[in-house]
Amino acid sequence: MVQNETITEENTPKSDDDVWTQGPDGELIPDYDSTFPIINEGEVVRGKVVRVDKDEVLIDIGYKSEGVIPVSELSIRRSVNPADEVNIGDEIDALVMTKEDAEGRLILSKKRARFEMAWKRIEGAAESGEPVEGTVIEVVKGGLILDLGVRGFLPASLVDIRRVQDLDEFMGQTLRCKVIELNRSRNNVVLSRRAVLEEERKEMRQAILDRLSPGDVVTGTISNIVDFGAFVDLEGIDGLIHISELSWSHVNHPSELLEIGQEVQVKVLDIDRERQRISLGLKQTQSDPWQQVVDMYDQGDVIEGKVTKVVTFGAFIEVVPGVEGLVHISELAQHHVENPREVVTQGESVRAKIIEMDPERRRLSLSLKRVDEGEGGTGVGEGTTELGLSEEVFAENMAEEPVSDEALAGSAAQEPVVEESLVEEPPAEQSDESIEADSVAPEEQGPGDSEGGYPASPEEDEAT
């Protein structure tokens, strides 16, 4: 009897084991509901993928029924294939949307679970200033969409330090960006990759500035071309070649000589360490064509050249590539000339005599009428005008634009006729600042800042 009582005590389930419950007749019956976890709508649960269909995924979370993740709740990406997102056996987090729908199913969401967890991480990154990582999943008008667990928008102007021509090249790449705007009510996240790149390059730029000195010749890559010059990437910092420093000859636009991505050798002309700006020269790495003129010619020599420009006061002739000489209107012919186009035309090849040469000021005066004065002459015939190399003679070419023959004739008609036998009065003095624009383009001619530095790149202005 005692033995039976002992057996009964050992084999009889206890009512406080949370496995048994009292039935309607007072007997103990298994309490199956107590074996299932307690879940609430809106909380995140973890489970194992047990089935993957084309329109849904089944998850075992240890509940009385398997959870269902509709395909629309799998990812923030649009039109996804469930098989590309999860595999059978994967353990994933999901947010409980509905404990029992109309069909009694447990509805879960993988993307909303990621969203909740990602949002907390993004909020923390926004407060601390730490970058976040995301994969580019879409290229949209005006920028990129990154998968951060949340859809993050990266504007095109903030993708790189300089403007990106083709955003498609970033598709599928993982990028590090800073959070610059966050709005939970609109689920809006705005990112900047440029901020990360600028921070990473800040120390590198300073190191480059410390290493460089005026006079150094360095190699770089053309990163941008603008009307006033070209920017060169010196492995971390951009320097500017002003249009006046591109070539010894006149340049209408930098694109005539350079293209983006081209590798060039340049000379460091000046460094503004405080503003982190570098002025570069391209023509300084090339042979000076004036040296070629000095080596090849002397005053009195007759040269052959091409007329490059005809103006009201004469014509310019290219002696060697990069060096032009001026034939003043009084040196075009033995007779009086009212319109230089009566004697020469642009593009014409002519023979001219060098009557004055000043390499220091880079000035060359030529004469057409003295070519036939005799081979043994001094280069200056009797009764002819002696020209001085005054700055204004060359400076007039700056402001003088080609005009019509009618305008030239009208202008000449208003001027008094000067007898050939008389010596022409030299033009009125002008300051040395009146320099030929075609050959010298001062910094002030291009868009610049008030402090005289070279102008900011269009990308910097746009970002600002």
Side-chain angles (χ1 to χ4, degrees):
M1 185 67 176
V2 175
Q3 185 177 2
N4 291 341
E5 289 178 358
T6 303
I7 293 174
T8 300
E9 290 177 1
E10 291 177 353
N11 296 334
T12 301
K14 305 294 184 179
S15 61
D16 58 351
D17 282 343
D18 294 331
V19 178
W20 299 88
T21 187
Q22 201 167 35
D25 298 330
E27 74 278 13
L28 293 176
I29 59 175
D31 184 7
Y32 294 110
D33 289 341
S34 65
T35 64
F36 301 127
I38 298 174
I39 62 173
N40 298 304
E41 292 181 359
E43 70 177 71
V44 176
V45 295
R46 190 166 185 82
K48 180 180 291 187
V49 177
V50 294
R51 183 174 172 179
V52 178
D53 293 330
K54 64 179 182 179
D55 56 354
E56 63 182 20
V57 173
L58 299 184
I59 307 293
D60 180 11
I61 63 170
Y63 197 57
K64 57 185 176 181
S65 62
E66 293 171 338
V68 178
I69 303 179
V71 66
S72 61
E73 295 296 330
L74 270 176
S75 173
I76 62 174
R77 302 170 188 252
R78 296 186 173 94
S79 304
V80 298
N81 182 356
D84 294 335
E85 290 293 321
V86 294
N87 297 308
I88 294 177
D90 288 352
E91 289 193 357
I92 62 173
D93 294 314
L95 182 136
V96 179
M97 296 176 60
T98 307
K99 291 178 68 173
E100 289 188 14
D101 65 357
E103 300 176 7
R105 301 184 307 171
L106 173 66
I107 306 300
L108 307 174
S109 173
K110 176 175 176 286
K111 75 176 183 181
R112 301 194 190 197
R114 283 192 66 211
F115 182 93
E116 292 298 329
M117 293 185 290
W119 194 269
K120 293 178 181 178
R121 176 171 50 86
I122 293 170
E123 282 183 328
E127 292 177 2
S128 66
E130 292 295 317
V132 294
E133 284 191 357
T135 303
V136 179
I137 58 175
E138 289 181 42
V139 177
V140 296
K141 183 178 180 180
L144 304 172
I145 299 296
L146 274 65
D147 181 2
L148 306 170
V150 177
R151 290 173 67 86
F153 177 62
L154 175 57
S157 60
L158 301 179
V159 171
D160 208 334
I161 292 176
R162 59 185 60 89
R163 179 176 293 278
V164 176
Q165 301 296 328
D166 184 13
L167 291 175
D168 289 330
E169 65 185 58
F170 290 94
M171 189 67 182
Q173 292 189 24
T174 299
L175 306 180
R176 297 177 73 245
C177 307
K178 279 195 173 183
V179 180
I180 59 174
E181 186 178 328
L182 201 60
N183 189 324
R184 179 59 193 263
S185 62
R186 299 171 54 191
N187 294 335
N188 190 30
V189 181
V190 181
L191 308 169
S192 172
R193 178 171 177 259
R194 178 175 179 168
V196 174
L197 295 178
E198 287 180 340
E199 191 171 298
E200 290 176 348
R201 297 178 71 175
K202 187 175 181 180
E203 294 183 3
M204 184 187 304
R205 292 166 66 179
Q206 190 58 52
I208 294 172
L209 287 170
D210 293 341
R211 186 176 73 243
L212 292 179
S213 299
D216 291 348
V217 176
V218 294
T219 301
T221 304
I222 301 298
S223 59
N224 195 20
I225 294 176
V226 290
D227 291 341
F228 53 84
F231 287 92
V232 181
D233 183 0
L234 302 177
E235 298 181 353
I237 187 171
D238 278 0
L240 173 69
I241 311 174
H242 192 270
I243 189 170
S244 62
E245 303 296 341
L246 285 173
S247 174
W248 294 108
S249 58
H250 174 69
V251 178
N252 291 313
H253 195 273
S255 58
E256 296 175 1
L257 302 177
L258 303 170
E259 59 183 22
I260 294 177
Q262 179 180 345
E263 188 173 280
V264 292
Q265 259 198 340
V266 290
K267 187 172 184 177
V268 179
L269 303 181
D270 187 37
I271 300 177
D272 186 339
R273 302 186 188 280
E274 183 177 343
R275 301 167 68 193
Q276 293 193 337
R277 290 185 172 180
I278 304 174
S279 296
L280 304 171
L282 180 62
K283 70 182 183 182
Q284 288 79 2
T285 63
Q286 304 163 353
S287 59
D288 185 350
W290 255 99
Q291 187 59 47
Q292 183 180 353
V293 173
V294 172
D295 294 341
M296 293 175 59
Y297 303 112
D298 293 313
Q299 187 166 316
D301 288 350
V302 175
I303 59 94
E304 288 191 8
K306 181 178 290 187
V307 178
T308 58
K309 192 173 184 180
V310 181
V311 291
T312 56
F313 55 85
F316 285 86
I317 297 175
E318 185 178 58
V319 179
V320 297
V323 176
E324 293 178 344
L326 171 65
V327 181
H328 193 266
I329 189 171
S330 62
E331 293 293 330
L332 284 172
Q334 296 291 345
H335 61 276
H336 175 71
V337 178
E338 292 186 353
N339 186 344
R341 287 179 173 80
E342 298 172 1
V343 181
V344 292
T345 57
Q346 186 170 333
E348 177 185 0
S349 293
V350 296
R351 297 175 72 242
K353 177 174 284 189
I354 300 174
I355 56 176
E356 292 185 70
M357 185 164 59
D358 189 343
E360 184 177 343
R361 292 192 301 158
R362 309 177 80 83
R363 296 290 185 259
L364 190 66
S365 284
L366 307 174
S367 174
L368 296 187
K369 73 179 184 181
R370 306 188 196 194
V371 172
D372 300 326
E373 287 179 348
E375 296 180 357
T378 61
V380 181
E382 292 185 7
T384 57
T385 303
E386 176 70 32
L387 283 181
L389 287 177
S390 58
E391 291 286 340
E392 59 268 20
V393 173
F394 291 90
E396 286 184 55
N397 185 40
M398 287 183 56
E400 194 72 42
E401 293 294 332
V403 295
S404 64
D405 292 341
E406 292 78 4
L408 285 171
S411 175
Q414 298 174 11
E415 297 177 357
V417 177
V418 180
E419 295 294 331
E420 290 181 35
S421 61
L422 298 179
V423 177
E424 293 184 2
E425 291 294 328
E429 281 190 40
Q430 298 182 17
S431 67
D432 289 342
E433 294 176 1
S434 180
I435 301 172
E436 181 177 344
D438 286 344
S439 61
V440 180
E443 291 285 296
E444 288 75 14
Q445 284 189 343
D449 49 49
S450 59
E451 298 183 40
Y454 60 77
S457 66
E459 291 81 354
E460 294 173 351
D461 292 342
E462 181 179 353
T464 304

